[in-house]
């Protein structure tokens, strides 16, 4: 019954260098989740205390789960659905792969809308339009709720993603990540330096470094866990797809540790950009919610640098460019997961596979865009429109459930020898036996229980 055919393109490509692997995979992880969502979550959940819980989550869950995803992809060198099918033939595990592909498709459709906003803000900053806006809240509301402009920006974003994907793994994803990620890190460095010289820097840094443990509640812990999952692109097949292009000598555990470290560093650095800026203007609160980046910050860029508008111009342009690059490396990875499935399974060219995924994403993205604008009263999904519903369904349901299945699959279903072979690269890496045992124990007993607890609590059943 579950005997689905899988096939493999012989020439599906691979990443050429280890640096390329780390930068491309970190590119998937580093995105709007770090620079937009992380500061919002930190601001809404009390600052430093949230960051400590977040760090615990990425270290405890992030590294082992990312390694587990890598094992599935690198072992099979195929797309996520076929990978499960190959590792557990005739069993329904492959449905986890399909759930992952559905999840990235839905995430991509609303993510590309926000990515489109970042592009619009980068363009407006470049054209100096941003610096003349006096009411940034009205500016954002007018733009996001209009019909054509946000729609065009998100479509442009998806078309750029398509162009990079079409070029293949080595010449598209890897080459672009090798340029985009260092540029991104450089821009971050400049912005952190700039933010730390703002008048509110001291208060902002204290906010990030001095935890108030009375702020830690069950809700804060759950938000931190949810944020860790989203930020690391965990559990929905994206990382397995990238790992299917890894060569056999790549150290999976070490790669996971490097990617998790880079992703976490970028999240924390964005805190060091945003909060010093936020505290530089009297009366602005750090818990401004999702509007922090699109309403509060432009306001700050215009005010703090009032005396020296050129600095405001540079800061604003660099900041939104940073968001565009971060979002782009993430949309590429989401797009690739489904593109890989289409070309592996249907043996079509990469170009054709990519265009099918692009067309589907554009259609869904248009629905998400319109649900914030002209269709905002159309709320058929439990009172939610497309944008909110896709966000809710993916973050609260599909991601945690897929995460549990991922752990159970690698912990219980895969043979211990296979898992050990992948972690140690067939015995060529000096990974001690107790590390392998701990890893498997963790995936069997600890991670699924933690995720199940989040899941139940987030649904309000806890
Ligand atoms: N990790 C990305 C971010 O932080 O923006 C978002 C993401 C990418 C989520 C890829 C899921 C995914 F499969």
């Amino acid at each position: 019954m579950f005997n689905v055919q899988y096939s493999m393109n012989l020439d599906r490509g691979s990443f050429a260098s280890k640096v390329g692997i780390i930068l491309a995979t970190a590119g998937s992880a580093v995105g709007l989740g770090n620079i937009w969502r992380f500061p919002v979550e930190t601001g809404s959940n009390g600052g430093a205390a949230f960051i400590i819980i977040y760090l615990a989550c990425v270290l405890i869950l992030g590294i082992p789960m990312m390694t587990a995803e890598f094992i599935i992809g690198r072992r099979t060198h195929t797309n996520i659905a076929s990978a499960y099918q190959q590792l557990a033939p005739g069993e329904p595990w492959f449905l986890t792969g399909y759930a992952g592909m559905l999840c990235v498709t839905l995430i991509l459709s609303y993510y590309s809308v926000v990515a489109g906003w970042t592009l619009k803000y980068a363009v407006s900053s470049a054209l100096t339009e941003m610096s003349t806006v006096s009411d940034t809240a009205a500016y954002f509301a007018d733009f996001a709720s209009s019909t054509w402009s946000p729609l065009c920006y998100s479509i442009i974003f998806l078309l750029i993603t398509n162009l990079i994907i079409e070029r293949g793994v080595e010449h598209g994803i890897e080459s672009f990540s090798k340029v985009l990620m260092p540029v991104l890190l450089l821009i971050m460095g400049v912005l952190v330096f700039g933010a730390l010289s703002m008048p509110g820097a001291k208060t902002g840094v204290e906010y990030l470094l001095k935890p108030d443990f009375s702020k830690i509640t069950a809700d804060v812990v759950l938000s931190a866990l949810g944020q860790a999952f989203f930020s690391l692109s965990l559990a929905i097949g994206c990382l397995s797809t990238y790992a299917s292009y890894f060569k056999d000598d790549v150290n999976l555990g070490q790669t996971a540790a490097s990617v998790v470290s880079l992703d976490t560093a970028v999240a924390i650095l964005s805190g060091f950009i945003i909060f010093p800026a936020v505290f530089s203007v009297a009366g602005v609160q750090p818990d401004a919610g999702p509007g922090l980046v699109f309403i509060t910050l432009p306001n700050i860029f215009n005010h703090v640098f009032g005396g020296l508008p050129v600095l405001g111009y540079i800061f604003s342009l660099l900041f939104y460019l940073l968001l565009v690059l971060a979002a782009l490396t993430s949309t590429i990875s989401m797009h690739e997961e489904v593109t890989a499935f289409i070309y592996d399974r249907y043996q079509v060219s990469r170009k054709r596979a990519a265009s099918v995924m692009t067309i589907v994403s554009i259609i869904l993205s248009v629905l998400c865009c319109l649900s914030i604008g002209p269709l905002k009263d159309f709320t058929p999904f439990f009172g939610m429109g497309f944008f909110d519903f896709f966000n809710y369904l993916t973050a609260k349901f599909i991601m945690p459930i897929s995460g549990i299945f991922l752990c159970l699959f690698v912990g219980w279903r895969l043979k211990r020898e296979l898992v050990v072979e992948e972690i140690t690269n067939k015995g060529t890496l000096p990974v001690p036996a107790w590390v392998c045992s701990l890893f498997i124990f963790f995936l069997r007993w600890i991670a699924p229980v933690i995720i199940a607890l989040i899941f139940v609590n987030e649904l309000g059943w806890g």
Side-chain angles (χ1 to χ4, degrees), residues 118-138:
T118 65
L119 190 57
K120 153 81 182 172
Y121 271 57
V123 171
S124 300
S125 299
L127 300 176
T128 65
E129 182 188 311
M130 242 15 252
S131 51
T132 59
V133 175
S134 54
D135 183 348
T136 53

Side-chain angles (χ1 to χ4, degrees), residues 173-186:
I173 303 173
E174 183 172 357
S175 314
F176 276 86
S177 305
K178 273 164 119 174
V179 176
L180 296 184
M181 288 304 283
V183 173
L184 183 146
L185 293 174
L186 191 75

Side-chain angles (χ1 to χ4, degrees), residues 315-334:
F315 215 86
S316 169
L317 177 60
L318 284 181
F319 181 76
Y320 291 107
L321 200 60
L322 171 75
L323 278 170
V324 168
L325 299 184
L328 185 59
T329 49
S330 296
T331 53
I332 290 172
S333 70
M334 294 183 229

Side-chain angles (χ1 to χ4, degrees), residues 92-434:
W93 288 100
F94 70 90
L95 294 173
T96 313
Y98 282 102
M101 285 193 286
L102 173 69
C103 192
V104 282
T105 309
L106 297 181
I107 295 181
L108 182 58
S109 60
Y110 71 79
Y111 197 93
S112 56
V113 174
V114 184
W117 298 348
T118 65
L119 190 57
K120 153 81 182 172
Y121 271 57
V123 171
S124 300
S125 299
L127 300 176
T128 65
E129 182 188 311
M130 242 15 252
S131 51
T132 59
V133 175
S134 54
D135 183 348
T136 53
Y139 179 82
F140 177 67
D142 276 357
F143 162 67
S145 63
S146 61
T147 307
W148 294 107
S149 184
L151 210 137
C152 292
Y153 278 104
S154 65
I155 293 177
I156 292 173
F157 211 94
L158 285 169
L159 292 176
I160 299 174
T161 306
N162 181 83
L163 279 181
I164 298 172
I165 290 285
E166 266 182 4
R167 296 172 59 99
V169 178
E170 188 184 338
H171 300 294
I173 303 173
E174 183 172 357
S175 314
F176 276 86
S177 305
K178 273 164 119 174
V179 176
L180 296 184
M181 288 304 283
V183 173
L184 183 146
L185 293 174
L186 191 75
I187 295 180
M188 285 211 94
V190 174
L191 289 177
V192 171
F193 183 74
L196 290 180
S197 38
M198 285 180 165
K202 194 164 167 275
T203 325
V205 170
E206 271 175 14
Y207 183 75
L208 285 168
L209 294 184
K210 278 206 184 142
D212 172 359
F213 288 107
S214 67
K215 296 253 166 72
I216 298 182
T217 59
D219 224 40
V220 170
V221 176
L222 300 178
S223 304
L225 273 160
Q227 173 61 21
F229 254 60
F230 187 83
S231 184
L232 295 173
S233 318
L234 268 186
I236 49 175
C238 201
L239 301 169
S240 293
T241 306
Y242 269 17
S244 73
Y245 305 120
F246 289 5
K247 297 211 167 109
D248 288 341
D249 61 346
V250 170
N251 183 332
L252 299 185
Q254 214 173 57
T255 306
S258 312
V259 171
V260 168
S261 313
L262 253 172
D263 185 71
T264 309
V266 170
I268 308 255
L269 284 179
S270 8
F272 279 99
I273 296 172
I274 290 173
F275 292 107
V278 165
F279 285 104
S280 295
V281 174
V284 177
Q285 293 305 316
D287 56 354
L292 193 62
V293 159
F294 295 105
I295 297 172
T296 314
L297 280 184
N299 203 3
I300 291 170
F301 295 150
N302 291 348
H303 281 92
V304 173
F305 298 110
L308 258 179
V310 73
L311 277 185
Y313 174 84
I314 295 173
F315 215 86
S316 169
L317 177 60
L318 284 181
F319 181 76
Y320 291 107
L321 200 60
L322 171 75
L323 278 170
V324 168
L325 299 184
L328 185 59
T329 49
S330 296
T331 53
I332 290 172
S333 70
M334 294 183 229
H335 195 295
E336 177 61 24
E337 177 173 342
V338 183
T339 300
F341 168 73
I342 300 172
Y343 76 70
D344 276 345
R345 182 62 64 90
Y346 299 102
Q347 305 279 302
V348 292
S349 69
R350 198 176 164 83
K351 203 168 168 172
R352 177 159 296 184
S355 36
V356 172
M357 177 55 181
T358 302
I359 291 168
V360 172
S361 316
I362 288 179
I363 294 171
L364 291 172
S365 165
V366 166
L367 293 176
C368 288
C369 236
L370 295 179
S371 74
I372 294 183
L375 292 184
K376 70 171 170 307
D377 295 325
F378 181 64
T379 52
F381 312 106
F382 314 101
M384 288 178 267
F386 288 101
F387 187 104
D388 291 335
F389 180 62
F390 287 176
N391 185 6
Y392 183 82
L393 184 67
T394 52
K396 306 239 158 155
F397 281 87
I398 311 181
M399 271 187 145
I401 295 177
S402 301
I404 293 175
F405 279 109
L406 166 73
C407 297
L408 297 179
F409 185 71
V410 177
W412 292 98
R413 176 60 186 83
L414 290 186
K415 290 210 168 69
R416 190 192 150 84
E417 300 79 67
L418 182 154
V419 174
V420 173
E421 252 180 52
E422 286 303 313
I423 301 179
T424 61
N425 287 353
K426 302 208 164 78
T428 56
L429 295 174
V431 182
W434 67 266

